[in-house]
Amino acid sequence: MALRTALLLDAVREALTADPICGGRITAETMTFIETTIAGSADRRAATSAARQATEAAAEFLRFADEGPATSRFPFEWDPVEKLVEATRTAATIERAHMDAITAEVERDAEGIAKLDRLIAACSAFLEGWA
């Protein structure tokens, strides 16, 4: 869970505990619901960001297809590969987080989890050179 989401959850928990009406009567189920809602909205924001990055990369590919190279030395005006790798890492991170949430009732896909972990690590290593 991202630090920002964790801090938000802590703030919500403290506010609910301090509230004179709710104080001390917040059930574990209520907190689980709140955590799921907050984490879910963070995932949706991340997915929107990934979609924008992938769309920008696709637009640059289409520009290249229509107009040709951006300069005599570079095919693209900016690097669409970086945007696609970031979008891929974000999508894999969201999927990985949801795989962690699978209950014991469902068989966990250990091989799928390991593949996602490797993909996230490879994307992160690639992007470190761009920072």
Side-chain angles (χ1 to χ4, degrees):
M1 181 182 319
L3 177 60
R4 186 180 201 173
T5 303
L7 292 172
L8 179 58
L9 285 171
D10 287 344
V12 168
R13 190 176 291 112
E14 284 180 33
L16 289 174
T17 303
D19 184 272
I21 297 171
C22 297
R25 295 190 311 232
I26 302 302
T27 65
E29 292 81 15
T30 301
M31 280 312 300
T32 299
F33 173 77
I34 292 169
E35 290 170 7
T36 303
T37 302
I38 291 172
S41 62
D43 285 349
R44 288 191 297 275
R45 284 191 304 275
T48 300
S49 174
R52 280 191 192 111
Q53 291 169 325
T55 301
E56 290 171 5
E60 180 58 15
F61 292 140
L62 290 171
R63 189 219 48 83
F64 173 77
D66 287 344
E67 302 171 11
T71 69
S72 61
R73 294 181 50 210
F74 301 104
F76 305 114
E77 291 181 16
W78 45 267
D79 193 357
V81 173
E82 178 185 4
K83 295 222 181 244
L84 288 175
V85 171
E86 181 62 41
T88 300
R89 179 175 68 174
T90 300
T93 301
I94 292 168
E95 186 169 343
R96 178 66 173 86
H98 284 266
M99 290 179 94
D100 279 341
I102 294 173
T103 64
E105 299 169 9
V106 179
E107 184 178 326
R108 292 174 60 95
D109 180 8
E111 183 178 339
I113 289 171
K115 285 180 181 178
L116 281 173
D117 287 342
R118 288 192 302 273
L119 177 61
I120 293 166
C123 289
S124 295
F126 178 86
L127 291 168
E128 283 177 16
W130 296 98

